[in-house]
Amino acid sequence: DITNGQYSIFFPRNTGREPLYIYLSALLTPLFGITFLDIKVAAVIGGLLMLPYLYLLGKELGSARIGLLAVAFAGIAYWPNVIERFALRISFYPLFVAPVLYYLIRGLRRQNRNDFLLAGVMLGLGLNGYTPFRIMPFVVVAIVGIYLLHVREKQIRKQTLIWLGLLALTSWVFFIPLARYAVENPDMFGFRAMSRLGTVERPLP
């Protein structure tokens, strides 16, 4: 559709698809054509771009050694490699989870506004990448909530809440086009999730 000039923010076929993986695949068609290899390469790119943030997240949570071990295990893990070789866009889930968690945790630790803004950018982009990523806004709120329970300084708590608002606003800017589609087509937007969680597609066994 994209190569024929039909652009969409949400692709309804096959229970619905967010746009980033599909547009990346379309961007690669001059190199690989509309082929299975093309969408495999797009999935692999998602997995490879995740690795630097996985390292940084491990380093932020522990040490450089933990970061390197995380990357090494991700490199040999069964599921990431199988998923990417089957050209599934699931690689776009950790691709954005890792930077969201990295910037959020670093921002909380250093009380750095720019980290919150970058977490918001990655959160907004991630919502355009893969359906289960929709749980991440709740994860962000939960992490900040747990952080606030352990902070005694009133000024830091107030500042953290303001920056959480900036994070939410930044992510919203990147999510606006998809949000409009969701409002106009709620059944289609939620169909993939509901087909996995409920009886929309078939009765539960």
Side-chain angles (χ1 to χ4, degrees):
D1 288 349
I2 293 169
T3 56
N4 289 326
Q6 299 176 36
Y7 305 110
S8 302
I9 193 62
F10 189 83
F11 296 85
R13 282 186 300 222
N14 196 15
T15 69
R17 292 287 187 273
E18 287 77 11
L20 284 187
Y21 173 70
I22 299 173
Y23 278 103
L24 176 59
S25 299
L27 191 66
L28 295 172
T29 54
L31 297 173
F32 304 106
I34 303 176
T35 63
F36 185 41
L37 177 62
D38 179 71
I39 58 176
K40 280 204 290 187
V41 170
V44 169
I45 287 173
L48 290 175
L49 291 177
M50 176 270 297
L51 294 176
Y53 278 108
L54 187 61
Y55 167 76
L56 291 171
L57 179 59
K59 185 179 177 183
E60 187 68 29
L61 291 172
S63 65
R65 184 182 179 188
I66 290 175
L68 288 172
L69 282 171
V71 171
F73 283 126
I76 63 172
Y78 176 78
W79 280 111
N81 285 286
V82 168
I83 283 165
E84 289 162 20
R85 280 159 177 74
F86 276 115
L88 299 176
R89 65 198 179 103
I90 300 171
S91 62
F92 275 57
Y93 189 33
L95 167 62
F96 292 105
V97 169
V100 168
L101 293 179
Y102 168 65
Y103 287 123
L104 178 62
I105 291 168
R106 192 174 78 164
L108 291 170
R109 180 169 288 170
R110 302 182 185 183
Q111 283 297 297
N112 188 323
R113 180 199 61 199
N114 288 345
D115 284 327
F116 279 82
L117 292 174
L118 288 169
V121 170
M122 293 300 178
L123 183 64
L125 289 173
L127 289 167
N128 288 276
Y130 187 57
T131 307
F133 191 87
R134 295 175 194 175
I135 199 172
M136 279 304 293
F138 300 101
V139 172
V140 169
V141 171
I143 290 172
V144 173
I146 292 168
Y147 173 80
L148 292 175
L149 288 175
H150 293 84
V151 173
R152 296 181 179 179
E153 293 85 352
K154 192 173 182 180
Q155 181 60 31
I156 292 179
R157 297 176 84 175
K158 180 180 178 182
Q159 182 173 267
T160 301
L161 287 171
I162 291 171
W163 288 348
L164 177 63
L166 285 175
L167 186 159
L169 181 62
T170 306
S171 64
W172 175 249
V173 169
F174 286 87
F175 184 62
I176 285 173
L178 204 55
R180 179 180 177 182
Y181 180 91
V183 170
E184 294 176 351
N185 305 277
D187 292 342
M188 192 63 249
F189 184 74
F191 182 79
R192 183 168 181 80
M194 291 302 103
S195 68
R196 270 61 181 168
L197 295 170
T199 58
V200 171
E201 200 169 31
R202 61 182 179 181
L204 294 173

